[in-house]
Amino acid sequence: YITGKIQDYIPASCSITVEIDSEGNYGSDKDGQIKERQDLIQPIDMNTESQELPQKAAKLNASFNFHPTNLLTQGSHTFRVTIKNPAGLIGTSTTKEGFDWIPFEIIPKPTLLWQKEFEQNVGNISMTGDGKYIVVDTMPDESETNKIYMFDKEGNIVWQHSSTEYGSTSFCFISISKNGSYIAAGMSIPGEFEGMSGLLYFDKNGKLLWKVSGVLPDDFSLSDDGEYILMADPIGSWYVWLYNKNGEKLWEKTGIMGAPIISGDGNYILIYNQLFNKEGSLLWGKDGFIRSGISKNGNIIVGWRHSTLRTFDLSGNLLGEYSCKSKNEVLYPVLSENGEYIIATNNLMDKAYFFNNNCSLLWEKEYSSHDLKEFGAITNDGKYCAVVYGSLSIDIFNEKGEIVGQINLESENGGEVIMPWSSDGRYMAITERKKKLYFYDTSSIIK
């Protein structure tokens, strides 16, 4: 709602109303006076105190608030307070000096298309680049079994599988290729060495194509077309494997820390602080660097170490770096697919930062006492990004740092948020790893 205050000397027995001008949407008369539209606002709550003066005037201290109704479109608007008495119009003013229109902003909320509630908590979600399909795995309960699902963008179940169908204790992670052709699901295998597990590879119809054991269930990465799957096992000798879509192992590395990422085009692999091509040849390695993201074509690599953000090109040249004021601060960067922009959160300082790929700070947003989370999302072109704060509230920004949309789920506990966004920014899926999944249409705020 909109709030304001008035402190002025005005005649007694006056009344106060509010008028709204919505960027010309409702027009002005020929004299340039904004037409009153009381249907644009809900009733005003007034708190006034007046003091009688010898001149038979009153000093008015009025606090008011009003709620814009749905008749107002999103965007920039102005309001003014109109002061009247029985003799007629006294003036319009929110300060003693002026009669200016006061700007305010209606921040749009994306449209919730559907939501699902599961019997078990949601573990992970993944979405195709066009937002047409979403895959979900649930977290195992006392039975140590769970399910995986594919939904279409209308919320219909395309297919589902129980972990008991494959002799595994539970599914552990799920991911779908950007083009929607393949789905990888991690699994835990009974009788295997503790910590060891496997991976199942499905086609878009939910048909199992192949499976492999001995990989970490939540540490794999798919190329956009699903032609390549990068997997890692941090147990023992630190293995990393590259498979193709047919389940053939192309190569393996040992003695390398896990957490692998493959570029969208499948040509480059980033493992911790080393970059490889898809043939497995080392291109370069960097000390003091932890991988965080790689652009679709591999031309931009972003990583961090302690309180410093760094970007590199394909040849390993340093493009730029940004260091926080305190060494105790940690940045959590997310790189746009085209490699142009980075949204980074700093939950220690409750700040969100927006950089270009040279680590030049374009804008920052402070969330004082709002508990900023280490989760961020960004569209393919980097023109829109989102951050999470408080009890599961999400702000969506444009590249100028202006808030263009908000989502408020008002969770009691504010859990760990996963929010994949379609490449064009039209659809967003959200879960806080509890029993609910939300699916939004954000196209109304993406211009």
Side-chain angles (χ1 to χ4, degrees), residues 255-288:
I256 302 175
M257 188 175 291
I261 303 176
I262 191 167
S263 60
D265 61 11
N267 289 325
Y268 300 98
I269 290 102
L270 184 61
I271 307 173
Y272 197 66
N273 61 356
Q274 296 178 315
L275 185 69
F276 299 82
N277 60 23
K278 67 180 179 181
E279 287 76 29
S281 299
L282 176 65
L283 300 180
W284 51 261
K286 299 291 180 182
D287 294 329

Side-chain angles (χ1 to χ4, degrees), residues 105 107-108 365 367 394-398 401-406:
E105 191 81 9
I107 299 177
K365 170 72 174 178
Y367 285 81
I394 298 172
D395 280 348
I396 301 174
F397 297 90
N398 62 18
E402 301 166 334
I403 297 179
V404 296
Q406 289 180 327

Side-chain angles (χ1 to χ4, degrees), residues 47-81:
N47 295 306
T48 62
E49 295 179 2
S50 62
Q51 177 183 352
E52 292 293 335
L53 299 176
Q55 296 86 354
K56 297 188 179 298
K59 181 177 182 181
L60 181 68
N61 291 282
S63 299
F64 61 90
N65 66 72
F66 64 92
H67 298 259
T69 69
N70 292 332
L71 291 175
L72 277 178
T73 58
Q74 66 188 55
S76 300
H77 310 275
T78 57
F79 77 92
R80 66 179 177 180
V81 177

Side-chain angles (χ1 to χ4, degrees), residues 127-133 153 178-179 422-424 426-427:
M127 186 164 61
T128 56
D130 57 13
K132 291 183 177 180
Y133 295 98
K153 65 183 178 68
K178 288 280 187 180
N179 68 357
S422 60
S423 296
D424 60 2
R426 179 168 185 177
Y427 299 108

Side-chain angles (χ1 to χ4, degrees), residues 419-447:
M419 51 179 188
W421 211 353
S422 60
S423 296
D424 60 2
R426 179 168 185 177
Y427 299 108
M428 179 183 285
I430 305 171
T431 182
E432 55 173 332
R433 306 193 79 176
K434 295 183 182 178
K435 292 185 177 181
K436 289 186 178 181
L437 169 68
Y438 306 89
F439 191 70
Y440 282 86
D441 181 348
T442 55
S443 61
S444 61
I445 60 176
I446 304 297
K447 299 178 181 179

Side-chain angles (χ1 to χ4, degrees), residues 124-128 133-137 148-150 159 172-178 180-186 199-203 217-223 226 229:
N124 295 279
I125 58 176
S126 179
M127 186 164 61
T128 56
Y133 295 98
I134 307 98
V135 292
V136 181
D137 71 343
I148 56 175
Y149 303 83
M150 175 186 273
W159 51 259
C172 306
F173 189 77
I174 196 164
S175 182
I176 188 169
S177 59
K178 288 280 187 180
S181 296
Y182 300 99
I183 297 92
L199 180 135
L200 303 170
Y201 210 61
F202 300 89
D203 68 12
D218 59 353
D219 221 347
F220 53 83
S221 178
L222 279 67
S223 59
I229 310 97

